[in-house]
Amino acid sequence: MAQAVFICVRSNDLRPEDVSNLGALAVTAREAGLTPTLVVVDLEDTDKAPESVPDVFDSAIRVAAPNGAGDGAGMIDALLASLLEERSPALVVATTTLASRNWGPRLAGRLSAGFAGAVDRLTNDGGLFVSEPVMGAMLHKKVKIDRPFVALYAGEDLASPSATTELPAATDPQLASTGPRLTKRVALPDTGGLPLKGAARIVSGGLGVGSAENWARIEEFASRVSAAVGASRAAVDMGWVPSSRQVGFSGQKVSPDVYVAIGISGAVHHLAGITGARKVVAINKDPEAPIFQIAEVAIIGDYQAVLEAAHRKLDQA
Amino acid sequence: MNILVLIKKVADPNLPSQFVSVAADGRSIELHSAAQFTINQYDLNAVEAAIALKEARGGTVIVMTADDASADTYLRRAVSMGADRAVRVDSAAGAYRDPEALATAIAGAIREVGIPDLILAGRQASDTDAGHIPHAVAVKLGLASLSPLVSLEVARDGVVVAGRLSDNSIDEYEVDLPAVLCVSNELNKPRMPSLKGVMQSKKLPIETVAAAVSDSKPFDVTYAKKDGTRQANTVTYDKCSDDEKAAALLAALGV
């Protein structure tokens, strides 16, 4: 029977939810008539990585990336191609990350497979389909998987199959990789440190913040209320904040309990990143800003004055 | 150093959603006749990177796109920034629907003009956000490819150091050339064309290459307009004091 191969790249950045999602997607693949199998790839630092996987796979193997592979962007496709070529998988699934967006399309090229990098749905519906948003999330594209395909999943966290099982046994590390040589990893100049993914509160800034100096106010406030810092594409383009903080169609999709949008107009491609937010609070000088149409709390005014007042209130508490 | 930059014409990323619809059979995207187009923004960073490398180390820059003649104006934009040659892989407007055929066409055209020392592209195009084709082209040409780059320097002849954005770090790689590198906007600020550049771009003939034929079949694809936007019961704070606004903000945050 045709295989659906699920790739679980283990590192200290791997969330248990990412592993559950692969399990849930494997159940859908099985319902569509494919045999789900699991390939676990261990990167260097895995001491905090999940230690179990959903018990839904017919078989599982585990390989170690060579030392110096970093996040695997430069070599996982080569590592997997040799493993997968003999299996001729009908479908390969992994989680969307900056690294998999590098090795994923390369793997698709090596397997002569189709590719989708931000799948939000895998459906079994008279055939197996992947769907992903396109055109700044204005449209949804649905592709029928009737030939080999590599899909990276970037959708919401799925209800996980409850039974789990241990990781397969580790194998010896692979030989040194060819291709680009990783020489240095420099930690990102991060802002407050709270990751966007999974954050309950996010304070996000846009062009209306006004300047790089003013950006500090966004970070201060976010830190004060234990929120992760996000940004619109415009703020990233201005160089005020690294692109890892970008929320939107081209950036992170977030689903916090509260999303505070400061100086963000609310263009469609930004809104595409926050459809999962339970409550949106928007602060903007422009009463016509589209963001107000989708905000539960609309604050029209000067964000600096509002944040100063907020800090005062918190000082008094 | 000879460099080739891949560019793509895309619909304006700020297109109002009323301008975008789906054909009756669901099999293609239709844009309102008033829709504007532009060069993919990340591709401008790629062109700028190529011109800067040429200014530092000499060589030529070829800009290439796979599209119909409506994309020529974007090739000329790159020429006005300093590219030396403009090559269009003559493709029907719908070629993007079959990425395999598109990658085959581009790889074939690059072989025809001669594989350069370095191929640059933007990290993803704003219509698909896929970041697929440059990697597919790299695999077809047997080259390494890295994405998304925030820094790029020449280490020595035939080797560059590429800073790639990872989730928590910027990872530097030594890359043997030729290779395909996809750049992000952190890399540089694209220059405005000079008057001389604009004049030159008007005179330069656009070279065309016939698209190499691929025997791939496109996937079965349908499109749909996204489900309705979220409806919010909005409570508005406008004429009240900053203190009241701050109270509403903190209450919403639950602090």
Side-chain angles (χ1 to χ4, degrees):
Chain A
M1 242 207 316
Q3 282 191 23
V5 181
F6 291 78
I7 313 292
C8 178
V9 179
R10 275 182 84 240
S11 72
N12 286 340
D13 292 326
L14 178 66
R15 303 178 312 143
E17 293 84 351
D18 293 326
V19 184
S20 303
N21 290 341
L22 292 178
L25 296 169
V27 170
T28 305
R30 185 188 290 283
E31 285 163 2
L34 298 177
T35 304
T37 66
L38 178 67
V39 174
V40 177
V41 178
D42 282 340
L43 296 177
E44 259 168 299
D45 297 316
T46 55
D47 48 293
K48 300 192 193 80
E51 293 284 332
S52 65
V53 295
D55 191 10
V56 297
F57 300 99
D58 262 31
S59 65
I61 66 170
R62 183 172 169 196
V63 295
N67 285 335
D71 62 9
M75 51 74 59
I76 284 183
D77 59 297
L79 181 62
L80 292 176
S82 47
L83 280 174
L84 298 185
E85 246 140 27
E86 1 167 290
R87 298 165 182 235
S88 299
L91 177 66
V92 179
V93 179
T95 305
T96 304
T97 61
L98 283 170
S100 65
R101 290 187 64 136
N102 197 144
W103 60 257
R106 289 187 58 87
L107 179 66
R110 289 173 183 271
L111 301 176
S112 299
F115 173 74
V119 169
D120 60 6
R121 280 207 286 271
L122 177 71
T123 46
N124 175 32
D125 174 16
L128 193 57
F129 295 85
V130 297
S131 305
E132 65 175 351
V134 293
M135 293 294 291
M138 286 192 262
L139 299 179
H140 224 206
K141 171 180 173 182
K142 191 171 172 184
V143 185
K144 184 166 192 182
I145 309 304
D146 51 14
R147 319 208 298 274
F149 201 91
V150 173
L152 302 182
Y153 182 72
E156 285 172 357
D157 288 336
L158 303 168
S160 75
S162 46
T164 57
T165 182
E166 280 177 16
L167 286 170
T171 55
D172 291 331
Q174 298 287 301
L175 299 168
S177 59
T178 52
R181 302 173 287 281
L182 179 63
T183 54
K184 196 158 76 168
R185 305 195 81 181
V186 179
L188 273 176
D190 208 11
T191 50
L194 280 173
L196 279 170
K197 219 172 186 178
R201 299 179 186 136
I202 297 175
V203 173
S204 204
L207 205 56
V209 171
S211 70
E213 292 75 38
N214 285 348
W215 188 265
R217 296 168 196 262
I218 302 295
E219 302 206 3
E220 268 160 26
F221 184 68
S223 175
R224 192 90 196 259
V225 299
S226 306
V229 172
S232 69
R233 166 86 193 252
V236 170
D237 282 348
M238 292 303 288
W240 300 337
V241 58
S243 64
S244 55
R245 291 281 160 191
Q246 186 175 317
V247 171
F249 181 60
S250 302
Q252 298 251 30
K253 317 287 184 292
V254 296
S255 35
D257 296 329
V258 186
Y259 185 84
V260 182
I262 300 180
I264 292 178
S265 63
V268 174
H269 50 86
H270 185 76
L271 300 189
I274 62 174
T275 52
R278 274 218 198 101
K279 190 186 304 181
V280 175
V281 179
I283 309 179
N284 202 302
K285 245 191 262 213
D286 174 11
E288 307 292 322
I291 190 103
F292 288 133
Q293 286 162 29
I294 56 102
E296 276 76 18
V297 177
I299 299 176
I300 300 170
D302 175 359
Y303 79 91
Q304 292 188 60
V306 176
L307 292 188
E308 270 162 30
H311 278 294
R312 277 196 307 270
K313 282 191 183 301
L314 289 171
D315 290 338
Q316 284 155 19
Chain B
M1 194 179 199
N2 296 324
I3 306 173
L4 185 142
V5 186
L6 293 172
I7 69 168
K8 184 181 183 187
K9 162 194 158 190
V10 294
D12 177 356
N14 294 311
L15 214 53
S17 61
Q18 313 88 282
F19 277 34
V20 179
S21 58
V22 170
D25 65 0
R27 295 192 173 277
S28 59
I29 298 171
E30 288 179 348
L31 299 177
H32 193 281
S33 54
Q36 308 266 44
F37 293 85
T38 181
I39 182 174
N40 181 46
Q41 296 301 289
Y42 290 122
D43 297 352
L44 284 174
N45 298 107
V47 172
E48 173 61 34
I51 306 300
L53 283 167
K54 170 181 124 157
E55 285 171 345
R57 310 197 46 105
T60 53
V61 173
I62 300 178
V63 60
M64 176 183 282
T65 197
D67 209 330
D68 61 28
S70 67
D72 286 355
T73 181
Y74 307 109
L75 291 170
R76 292 195 193 283
R77 168 93 178 260
V79 172
S80 71
M81 288 167 69
D84 304 288
R85 287 172 61 189
V87 178
R88 177 161 52 79
V89 187
D90 211 1
S91 315
Y96 67 84
R97 268 180 249 164
D98 184 359
E100 171 61 27
L102 185 56
T104 299
I106 292 175
I110 294 177
R111 281 195 200 94
E112 199 170 311
V113 302
I115 297 183
D117 299 306
L118 179 60
I119 298 169
L120 295 177
R123 63 185 279 185
Q124 61 209 67
S126 54
D127 46 7
T128 60
D129 256 340
H132 177 195
I133 297 295
H135 294 293
V137 169
V139 171
K140 284 186 188 296
L141 296 176
L143 305 179
S145 53
L146 287 178
S147 178
L149 262 55
V150 300
S151 69
L152 176 60
E153 296 193 347
V154 177
R156 51 188 182 278
D157 262 357
V159 181
V160 295
V161 174
R164 204 198 127 257
L165 191 63
S166 181
D167 287 300
N168 300 306
S169 55
I170 294 174
D171 296 347
E172 286 189 1
Y173 292 82
E174 267 202 352
V175 188
D176 294 329
L177 301 182
V180 176
L181 300 177
C182 307
V183 309
S184 189
N185 54 294
E186 293 96 321
L187 186 68
N188 55 41
K189 278 227 143 12
R191 68 192 65 194
M192 294 306 291
S194 64
L195 185 57
K196 177 171 161 205
V198 172
M199 301 308 293
Q200 272 171 353
S201 76
K202 289 194 208 281
K203 288 186 288 192
L204 190 76
I206 308 278
E207 305 167 45
T208 53
V209 173
V213 171
S214 145
D215 58 6
S216 74
K217 285 179 341 186
F219 277 85
D220 183 342
V221 174
T222 53
Y223 298 93
K225 255 222 108 161
K226 281 278 274 178
D227 323 327
T229 45
R230 71 191 272 141
Q231 298 300 335
N233 290 324
T234 310
V235 180
T236 306
Y237 299 82
D238 186 4
K239 306 295 180 203
C240 56
S241 67
D242 291 326
D243 270 0
E244 284 168 279
K245 292 174 184 174
L249 169 62
L250 294 174
L253 277 164
V255 295

